Amino acid sequence: DITTAVYNGKIYSIGGYGNGPGNPQNKNYEFDPAANTWTEKTPMPTARWGMMAVEFNGLIYVFGGSISSGAGNIAKNEAYDPVLNSWTTKADIPSDLARQGVMGIKYGDKIHMFYESYHYEYDPVNDTYTQKADVPNPRMWSTVAVVGSKIYLIGGNHNGGAYNDNQELDPATDTWTAKSPFPGIRWGMARENPVINGKIYVSHGLDGSAFHTENYVYDPATDTWEQRGPAAHARDGVA
């Protein structure tokens, strides 16, 4: 249950837990795909897991998370500067979002954040939060992605149960539309905007009893799903 973000051709892998949820981590590693190397960077100020990282204008914002086996109550918003290799503490996120499994995505000049039915818009320039239209079917640990002018929230967990909902948010009108359901019913799939050529890749996950390797691709243009080749290792909490 680490989180990841991409900046300037590097992948940053932050936080997570070690020997169980009561063992939160603050490690921050930079992966260079070109050199195939890892470099340890300045650790995150608050150790936690199940949080969400979003890159915005050269800063990586890390929101929410947990420090225990419960839902957690980490309201921190800590921003990492890869150039300076330093962290800055921003305004705390709303208590509604201060959990593990919080979801977020950059859209235009704002960051949209989701947890269960709650939906907030964060303004990084003014460091402020505005509540927006509720998620119609509440859940956490969903895949969240941007394609074109829409945001997609796919799968997830609600009250311990797995879901296959696929909902499209139009931020311009602040309205939600139900789309073709995810073929897999699970949570903990890759979350950090897994979009290639306008298609969303939804892989791995947990259905409540089994971990999965399956990889599905959603095409918003046709509202259709296609199953692709599986991963080598079953897991959830994927970044």
Side-chain angles (χ1 to χ4, degrees):
D1 289 343
I2 62 173
T3 191
T4 58
V6 173
Y7 174 71
N8 197 29
K10 308 291 196 308
I11 301 171
Y12 294 86
S13 170
I14 303 167
Y17 67 74
N19 297 319
N23 181 216
Q25 304 291 306
N26 66 351
K27 294 290 189 178
N28 173 19
Y29 293 98
E30 176 190 84
F31 178 65
D32 183 338
N36 193 29
T37 56
W38 292 88
T39 304
E40 188 166 358
K41 311 299 281 188
T42 300
M44 180 170 56
T46 304
R48 45 194 159 131
W49 60 273
M51 57 279 160
M52 169 56 67
V54 179
E55 185 277 331
F56 187 94
N57 285 355
L59 293 180
I60 296 171
Y61 292 81
V62 182
F63 302 98
S66 180
I67 59 172
S68 71
S69 59
N73 59 353
I74 300 299
K76 294 292 186 181
N77 172 10
E78 294 169 335
Y80 176 65
D81 185 330
V83 175
L84 299 178
N85 190 27
S86 62
W87 291 84
T88 304
T89 300
K90 303 293 185 178
D92 281 357
I93 64 176
S95 59
D96 298 331
L97 303 173
R99 299 288 189 271
Q100 52 98 345
V102 62
M103 302 158 288
I105 198 80
K106 176 171 65 175
Y107 182 92
D109 61 353
K110 302 292 192 300
I111 294 172
H112 286 256
M113 304 176 65
F114 312 92
Y115 180 79
E116 291 287 3
S117 61
Y118 296 106
H119 168 206
Y120 283 83
E121 183 183 76
Y122 174 63
D123 183 338
V125 175
N126 295 316
D127 198 20
T128 55
Y129 302 86
T130 303
Q131 191 163 5
K132 308 295 284 186
D134 285 352
V135 178
N137 293 351
R139 56 222 144 93
M140 61 179 184
W141 284 122
S142 304
T143 287
V144 58
V146 168
V147 176
S149 62
K150 305 294 193 299
I151 297 174
Y152 295 85
L153 209 60
I154 300 171
N157 174 305
H158 177 65
N159 287 339
Y163 283 75
N164 67 346
D165 300 83
N166 175 16
Q167 293 172 315
E168 177 190 83
L169 171 67
D170 183 346
T173 59
D174 198 24
T175 56
W176 292 88
T177 303
K179 309 300 285 186
S180 178
F182 171 43
I185 302 174
R186 63 193 69 146
W187 70 84
M189 307 82 65
R191 297 193 293 158
E192 284 83 358
N193 200 34
V195 175
I196 302 172
N197 295 330
K199 296 181 180 180
I200 304 170
Y201 287 73
V202 185
S203 64
H204 301 86
L206 173 64
D207 62 18
S209 60
F211 296 97
H212 289 265
T213 61
E214 289 89 353
N215 176 25
Y216 294 92
V217 181
Y218 176 65
D219 186 347
T222 59
D223 192 27
T224 57
W225 290 89
E226 177 188 358
Q227 188 168 2
R228 305 298 295 272
H233 302 285
R235 63 185 87 176
D236 85 326
V238 180

